[in-house]
Amino acid sequence: MALKVQLMPALRTEQKAEGKLIPRGKTGKRVKASELAEFIVRQGTTVRKPDILAVMENLGQAIRTLCSGGDSVTLPNLGIVTPQIGGVADKDGKWVDGPYTYLTMRFDSD
């Protein structure tokens, strides 16, 4: 199944005034961890579903811990998870807004 796309009015004022549209991906259902584990088993692995679920749980915790320490994490055949920080500081370096921490995902080109 391909990603469905919906065209929406542009967010930037000048683009909106020109009537330009931007794409937004429309996802299907949200796949739960147990469904993902079953899908992996159906692909032909020798690993059992409970083991896959345990690894997924540990993977999430490992990524959270490593990224909170400032490291990026490479996920084979998926991409790179990188910690980021946002907000605004004044000229003295005092936070006016934020700081906000979050993760970004740079997906493999495949």
Side-chain angles (χ1 to χ4, degrees):
M1 175 183 231
L3 178 65
K4 294 179 182 177
V5 176
Q6 174 183 10
L7 293 175
M8 304 178 63
L11 300 176
R12 292 179 31 203
T13 306
E14 63 275 7
Q15 291 177 332
K16 199 173 201 175
E18 295 171 6
K20 293 192 176 173
L21 302 172
I22 57 173
R24 179 176 182 192
K26 291 179 68 175
T27 60
K29 70 175 187 169
R30 181 172 296 191
V31 177
K32 296 178 184 174
S34 67
E35 293 173 290
L36 178 58
E38 289 170 10
F39 186 85
I40 292 169
V41 169
R42 285 195 308 270
Q43 286 181 316
T45 183
T46 59
V47 181
R48 298 175 311 131
K49 180 181 171 183
D51 297 324
I52 293 169
L53 288 168
V55 168
M56 287 193 298
E57 183 72 28
N58 292 334
L59 178 65
Q61 184 61 44
I63 291 170
R64 180 182 307 152
T65 301
L66 291 166
C67 287
S68 70
D71 295 329
S72 292
V73 179
T74 299
L75 298 170
N77 298 312
L78 188 59
I80 303 169
V81 180
T82 304
Q84 301 287 338
I85 188 166
V88 177
D90 65 17
K91 62 181 175 154
D92 298 322
K94 294 181 184 172
W95 289 104
V96 177
D97 184 22
Y100 307 107
T101 57
Y102 57 96
L103 299 175
T104 60
M105 180 79 192
R106 186 175 63 209
F107 292 96
D108 288 348
S109 60
D110 293 341

mmCIF file of all heavy atoms in Angstrom, residues 18-45:
data_model
loop_
_atom_site.group_PDB
_atom_site.id
_atom_site.type_symbol
_atom_site.label_atom_id
_atom_site.label_comp_id
_atom_site.label_asym_id
_atom_site.label_seq_id
_atom_site.Cartn_x
_atom_site.Cartn_y
_atom_site.Cartn_z
ATOM 1 N N GLU A 18 -0.395 33.128 -2.926
ATOM 2 C CA GLU A 18 -0.263 32.678 -4.314
ATOM 3 C C GLU A 18 -1.109 31.439 -4.598
ATOM 4 O O GLU A 18 -1.112 30.923 -5.711
ATOM 5 C CB GLU A 18 1.211 32.378 -4.625
ATOM 6 C CG GLU A 18 2.105 33.593 -4.569
ATOM 7 C CD GLU A 18 3.582 33.239 -4.659
ATOM 8 O OE1 GLU A 18 3.909 32.049 -4.880
ATOM 9 O OE2 GLU A 18 4.404 34.147 -4.503
ATOM 10 N N GLY A 19 -1.788 30.929 -3.570
ATOM 11 C CA GLY A 19 -2.635 29.753 -3.740
ATOM 12 C C GLY A 19 -1.877 28.449 -3.816
ATOM 13 O O GLY A 19 -2.397 27.444 -4.290
ATOM 14 N N LYS A 20 -0.632 28.443 -3.328
ATOM 15 C CA LYS A 20 0.174 27.227 -3.393
ATOM 16 C C LYS A 20 -0.271 26.228 -2.332
ATOM 17 O O LYS A 20 -0.811 26.586 -1.288
ATOM 18 C CB LYS A 20 1.649 27.569 -3.227
ATOM 19 C CG LYS A 20 2.163 28.379 -4.400
ATOM 20 C CD LYS A 20 3.638 28.479 -4.410
ATOM 21 C CE LYS A 20 4.065 29.211 -5.675
ATOM 22 N NZ LYS A 20 5.469 29.489 -5.679
ATOM 23 N N LEU A 21 -0.035 24.955 -2.644
ATOM 24 C CA LEU A 21 -0.422 23.865 -1.759
ATOM 25 C C LEU A 21 0.819 23.094 -1.328
ATOM 26 O O LEU A 21 1.818 23.065 -2.036
ATOM 27 C CB LEU A 21 -1.393 22.925 -2.474
ATOM 28 C CG LEU A 21 -2.681 23.565 -2.997
ATOM 29 C CD1 LEU A 21 -3.451 22.565 -3.839
ATOM 30 C CD2 LEU A 21 -3.527 24.085 -1.859
ATOM 31 N N ILE A 22 0.732 22.470 -0.161
ATOM 32 C CA ILE A 22 1.818 21.624 0.330
ATOM 33 C C ILE A 22 1.266 20.220 0.586
ATOM 34 O O ILE A 22 0.098 20.065 0.938
ATOM 35 C CB ILE A 22 2.468 22.190 1.607
ATOM 36 C CG1 ILE A 22 1.438 22.376 2.721
ATOM 37 C CG2 ILE A 22 3.205 23.488 1.314
ATOM 38 C CD1 ILE A 22 2.027 22.781 4.064
ATOM 39 N N PRO A 23 2.105 19.195 0.389
ATOM 40 C CA PRO A 23 1.627 17.829 0.620
ATOM 41 C C PRO A 23 1.664 17.460 2.100
ATOM 42 O O PRO A 23 2.512 17.931 2.856
ATOM 43 C CB PRO A 23 2.627 16.980 -0.161
ATOM 44 C CG PRO A 23 3.883 17.779 -0.114
ATOM 45 C CD PRO A 23 3.463 19.223 -0.136
ATOM 46 N N ARG A 24 0.735 16.633 2.476
ATOM 47 C CA ARG A 24 0.715 16.064 3.825
ATOM 48 C C ARG A 24 0.377 14.583 3.676
ATOM 49 O O ARG A 24 -0.623 14.233 3.044
ATOM 50 C CB ARG A 24 -0.318 16.757 4.692
ATOM 51 C CG ARG A 24 -0.369 16.177 6.087
ATOM 52 C CD ARG A 24 -1.314 16.930 6.964
ATOM 53 N NE ARG A 24 -1.283 16.369 8.294
ATOM 54 C CZ ARG A 24 -2.147 16.644 9.224
ATOM 55 N NH1 ARG A 24 -3.119 17.495 8.987
ATOM 56 N NH2 ARG A 24 -2.056 16.077 10.404
ATOM 57 N N GLY A 25 1.229 13.753 4.247
ATOM 58 C CA GLY A 25 0.996 12.321 4.176
ATOM 59 C C GLY A 25 -0.153 11.900 5.074
ATOM 60 O O GLY A 25 -0.297 12.395 6.189
ATOM 61 N N LYS A 26 -0.977 11.017 4.573
ATOM 62 C CA LYS A 26 -2.089 10.481 5.363
ATOM 63 C C LYS A 26 -1.779 9.017 5.650
ATOM 64 O O LYS A 26 -1.714 8.207 4.733
ATOM 65 C CB LYS A 26 -3.404 10.607 4.590
ATOM 66 C CG LYS A 26 -3.866 12.030 4.416
ATOM 67 C CD LYS A 26 -5.154 12.090 3.631
ATOM 68 C CE LYS A 26 -6.263 11.479 4.453
ATOM 69 N NZ LYS A 26 -7.576 11.586 3.828
ATOM 70 N N THR A 27 -1.564 8.705 6.897
ATOM 71 C CA THR A 27 -1.247 7.333 7.265
ATOM 72 C C THR A 27 -2.522 6.520 7.430
ATOM 73 O O THR A 27 -3.612 7.073 7.601
ATOM 74 C CB THR A 27 -0.450 7.276 8.581
ATOM 75 O OG1 THR A 27 -1.228 7.870 9.626
ATOM 76 C CG2 THR A 27 0.872 8.008 8.458
ATOM 77 N N GLY A 28 -2.329 5.211 7.402
ATOM 78 C CA GLY A 28 -3.433 4.304 7.678
ATOM 79 C C GLY A 28 -3.530 4.114 9.183
ATOM 80 O O GLY A 28 -3.378 5.056 9.955
ATOM 81 N N LYS A 29 -3.710 2.893 9.601
ATOM 82 C CA LYS A 29 -3.821 2.627 11.035
ATOM 83 C C LYS A 29 -2.452 2.709 11.704
ATOM 84 O O LYS A 29 -1.414 2.652 11.046
ATOM 85 C CB LYS A 29 -4.434 1.251 11.268
ATOM 86 C CG LYS A 29 -3.515 0.099 10.888
ATOM 87 C CD LYS A 29 -4.140 -1.217 11.267
ATOM 88 C CE LYS A 29 -3.150 -2.336 11.041
ATOM 89 N NZ LYS A 29 -3.579 -3.575 11.618
ATOM 90 N N ARG A 30 -2.453 2.828 13.005
ATOM 91 C CA ARG A 30 -1.220 2.786 13.777
ATOM 92 C C ARG A 30 -0.971 1.331 14.167
ATOM 93 O O ARG A 30 -1.780 0.707 14.830
ATOM 94 C CB ARG A 30 -1.323 3.649 15.025
ATOM 95 C CG ARG A 30 -0.022 3.635 15.831
ATOM 96 C CD ARG A 30 -0.032 4.613 16.950
ATOM 97 N NE ARG A 30 -0.114 5.953 16.390
ATOM 98 C CZ ARG A 30 0.066 7.048 17.095
ATOM 99 N NH1 ARG A 30 0.311 6.970 18.372
ATOM 100 N NH2 ARG A 30 -0.019 8.233 16.537
ATOM 101 N N VAL A 31 0.157 0.790 13.716
ATOM 102 C CA VAL A 31 0.498 -0.605 13.972
ATOM 103 C C VAL A 31 1.051 -0.722 15.389
ATOM 104 O O VAL A 31 1.997 -0.029 15.760
ATOM 105 C CB VAL A 31 1.529 -1.115 12.939
ATOM 106 C CG1 VAL A 31 1.944 -2.537 13.241
ATOM 107 C CG2 VAL A 31 0.960 -1.003 11.530
ATOM 108 N N LYS A 32 0.468 -1.604 16.178
ATOM 109 C CA LYS A 32 0.911 -1.828 17.558
ATOM 110 C C LYS A 32 2.143 -2.728 17.572
ATOM 111 O O LYS A 32 2.436 -3.423 16.595
ATOM 112 C CB LYS A 32 -0.214 -2.473 18.363
ATOM 113 C CG LYS A 32 -1.420 -1.576 18.500
ATOM 114 C CD LYS A 32 -2.527 -2.270 19.261
ATOM 115 C CE LYS A 32 -3.748 -1.378 19.296
ATOM 116 N NZ LYS A 32 -4.894 -2.027 19.876
ATOM 117 N N ALA A 33 2.846 -2.705 18.693
ATOM 118 C CA ALA A 33 4.080 -3.486 18.824
ATOM 119 C C ALA A 33 3.837 -4.970 18.569
ATOM 120 O O ALA A 33 4.632 -5.627 17.891
ATOM 121 C CB ALA A 33 4.694 -3.281 20.214
ATOM 122 N N SER A 34 2.745 -5.517 19.074
ATOM 123 C CA SER A 34 2.489 -6.947 18.881
ATOM 124 C C SER A 34 2.226 -7.263 17.405
ATOM 125 O O SER A 34 2.653 -8.303 16.906
ATOM 126 C CB SER A 34 1.320 -7.418 19.748
ATOM 127 O OG SER A 34 0.114 -6.850 19.320
ATOM 128 N N GLU A 35 1.563 -6.353 16.692
ATOM 129 C CA GLU A 35 1.334 -6.554 15.260
ATOM 130 C C GLU A 35 2.644 -6.473 14.487
ATOM 131 O O GLU A 35 2.863 -7.244 13.545
ATOM 132 C CB GLU A 35 0.368 -5.499 14.725
ATOM 133 C CG GLU A 35 -1.046 -5.612 15.269
ATOM 134 C CD GLU A 35 -1.902 -4.445 14.845
ATOM 135 O OE1 GLU A 35 -1.664 -3.320 15.327
ATOM 136 O OE2 GLU A 35 -2.812 -4.657 14.008
ATOM 137 N N LEU A 36 3.517 -5.548 14.884
ATOM 138 C CA LEU A 36 4.822 -5.437 14.237
ATOM 139 C C LEU A 36 5.634 -6.698 14.468
ATOM 140 O O LEU A 36 6.257 -7.227 13.544
ATOM 141 C CB LEU A 36 5.575 -4.208 14.760
ATOM 142 C CG LEU A 36 6.984 -3.993 14.215
ATOM 143 C CD1 LEU A 36 6.993 -3.884 12.698
ATOM 144 C CD2 LEU A 36 7.595 -2.755 14.862
ATOM 145 N N ALA A 37 5.601 -7.219 15.691
ATOM 146 C CA ALA A 37 6.326 -8.452 15.998
ATOM 147 C C ALA A 37 5.797 -9.611 15.153
ATOM 148 O O ALA A 37 6.577 -10.409 14.623
ATOM 149 C CB ALA A 37 6.217 -8.777 17.482
ATOM 150 N N GLU A 38 4.485 -9.713 15.011
ATOM 151 C CA GLU A 38 3.891 -10.774 14.183
ATOM 152 C C GLU A 38 4.313 -10.620 12.723
ATOM 153 O O GLU A 38 4.597 -11.610 12.042
ATOM 154 C CB GLU A 38 2.365 -10.734 14.297
ATOM 155 C CG GLU A 38 1.853 -11.188 15.644
ATOM 156 C CD GLU A 38 0.366 -10.908 15.842
ATOM 157 O OE1 GLU A 38 -0.323 -10.529 14.859
ATOM 158 O OE2 GLU A 38 -0.097 -11.048 16.980
ATOM 159 N N PHE A 39 4.377 -9.390 12.239
ATOM 160 C CA PHE A 39 4.802 -9.124 10.863
ATOM 161 C C PHE A 39 6.242 -9.588 10.659
ATOM 162 O O PHE A 39 6.572 -10.208 9.651
ATOM 163 C CB PHE A 39 4.661 -7.628 10.563
ATOM 164 C CG PHE A 39 4.942 -7.275 9.138
ATOM 165 C CD1 PHE A 39 3.949 -7.374 8.175
ATOM 166 C CD2 PHE A 39 6.197 -6.835 8.753
ATOM 167 C CE1 PHE A 39 4.199 -7.036 6.852
ATOM 168 C CE2 PHE A 39 6.467 -6.501 7.439
ATOM 169 C CZ PHE A 39 5.469 -6.607 6.488
ATOM 170 N N ILE A 40 7.104 -9.297 11.635
ATOM 171 C CA ILE A 40 8.510 -9.721 11.558
ATOM 172 C C ILE A 40 8.607 -11.236 11.531
ATOM 173 O O ILE A 40 9.370 -11.808 10.749
ATOM 174 C CB ILE A 40 9.324 -9.125 12.736
ATOM 175 C CG1 ILE A 40 9.422 -7.601 12.572
ATOM 176 C CG2 ILE A 40 10.717 -9.752 12.819
ATOM 177 C CD1 ILE A 40 9.966 -6.876 13.789
ATOM 178 N N VAL A 41 7.820 -11.926 12.356
ATOM 179 C CA VAL A 41 7.820 -13.394 12.375
ATOM 180 C C VAL A 41 7.387 -13.935 11.012
ATOM 181 O O VAL A 41 7.984 -14.877 10.484
ATOM 182 C CB VAL A 41 6.907 -13.924 13.506
ATOM 183 C CG1 VAL A 41 6.677 -15.416 13.371
ATOM 184 C CG2 VAL A 41 7.515 -13.601 14.873
ATOM 185 N N ARG A 42 6.360 -13.331 10.419
ATOM 186 C CA ARG A 42 5.867 -13.779 9.108
ATOM 187 C C ARG A 42 6.892 -13.579 7.994
ATOM 188 O O ARG A 42 6.828 -14.237 6.966
ATOM 189 C CB ARG A 42 4.561 -13.062 8.753
ATOM 190 C CG ARG A 42 3.359 -13.579 9.516
ATOM 191 C CD ARG A 42 2.048 -13.103 8.893
ATOM 192 N NE ARG A 42 1.961 -11.669 8.688
ATOM 193 C CZ ARG A 42 1.488 -10.792 9.585
ATOM 194 N NH1 ARG A 42 1.060 -11.221 10.754
ATOM 195 N NH2 ARG A 42 1.439 -9.503 9.294
ATOM 196 N N GLN A 43 7.857 -12.683 8.204
ATOM 197 C CA GLN A 43 8.890 -12.462 7.195
ATOM 198 C C GLN A 43 9.892 -13.611 7.151
ATOM 199 O O GLN A 43 10.714 -13.670 6.254
ATOM 200 C CB GLN A 43 9.641 -11.156 7.458
ATOM 201 C CG GLN A 43 8.830 -9.936 7.120
ATOM 202 C CD GLN A 43 9.622 -8.667 7.362
ATOM 203 O OE1 GLN A 43 10.301 -8.513 8.362
ATOM 204 N NE2 GLN A 43 9.529 -7.757 6.415
ATOM 205 N N GLY A 44 9.841 -14.504 8.130
ATOM 206 C CA GLY A 44 10.675 -15.690 8.076
ATOM 207 C C GLY A 44 11.834 -15.723 9.049
ATOM 208 O O GLY A 44 12.824 -16.390 8.802
ATOM 209 N N THR A 45 11.737 -15.031 10.152
ATOM 210 C CA THR A 45 12.794 -15.072 11.153
ATOM 211 C C THR A 45 12.662 -16.312 12.034
ATOM 212 O O THR A 45 11.592 -16.905 12.122
ATOM 213 C CB THR A 45 12.769 -13.798 12.030
ATOM 214 O OG1 THR A 45 13.855 -13.858 12.949
ATOM 215 C CG2 THR A 45 11.473 -13.689 12.810
#
